[in-house]
Amino acid sequence: MYNLIVARISKKNFEAVNNKDFDSILKQCDAKIHHRFGGNHALGGERHSREVLSRWFQRLGRLSPELKLTVKDIWVKGWPNDTTVIMRWTATDRDNPDGSPYRNHGVPIFLVKK
């Protein structure tokens, strides 16, 4: 039952990103959040506080105003003090500068520890 609840919350958070409702996600984050987004670009790097993560979400909203994440799969393993969530998603956004459609996919891993 716990894993089902975590999966629902995780999917809801991705829907919040689609709706640019970043505050609802930030309210769930611990003050000691560690967020890492790979790559050497405007969204890449690490964040270690809710305030800095909030600025990252605002940047995401500016850079990808039409971003639409679609969750394909969610796997949850563990218990409340040590949970791993793995999600598989696809993304679309406004077209690339050359006119080609933007498509992306990813598999983030979330570690939830108390």
Side-chain angles (χ1 to χ4, degrees):
M1 183 59 125
Y2 169 74
N3 291 353
L4 181 62
I5 293 168
V6 170
R8 284 183 186 161
I9 291 169
S10 300
K11 187 172 184 179
K12 185 176 177 182
N13 285 341
F14 270 56
E15 292 168 5
V17 171
N18 288 338
N19 295 323
K20 309 296 186 264
D21 181 15
F22 306 129
D23 286 339
S24 68
I25 299 168
L26 292 164
K27 289 176 187 175
Q28 299 172 55
C29 294
D30 188 87
K32 297 178 186 176
I33 182 80
H34 179 197
H35 175 266
R36 180 173 46 209
F37 195 91
N40 186 15
H41 49 76
L43 294 172
E46 296 188 39
R47 284 134 294 277
H48 298 281
S49 72
R50 280 188 297 247
E51 178 184 328
V52 175
L53 183 57
S54 175
R55 290 196 305 259
W56 182 86
F57 274 126
Q58 296 306 315
R59 183 179 305 132
L60 174 66
R62 284 190 309 276
L63 295 175
S64 299
E66 297 173 30
L67 179 66
K68 170 82 167 109
L69 299 169
T70 302
V71 175
K72 299 295 187 178
D73 296 296
I74 304 174
W75 298 275
V76 179
K77 183 176 181 179
W79 295 99
N81 63 335
D82 189 11
T83 306
T84 301
V85 180
I86 302 171
M87 302 175 76
R88 187 172 65 93
W89 55 261
T90 59
T92 59
D93 198 358
R94 62 185 172 194
D95 290 344
N96 290 310
D98 67 0
S100 63
Y102 175 85
R103 304 282 184 266
N104 201 350
H105 60 274
V107 180
I109 300 171
F110 303 92
L111 304 175
V112 182
K113 298 184 180 266
K114 288 192 177 191

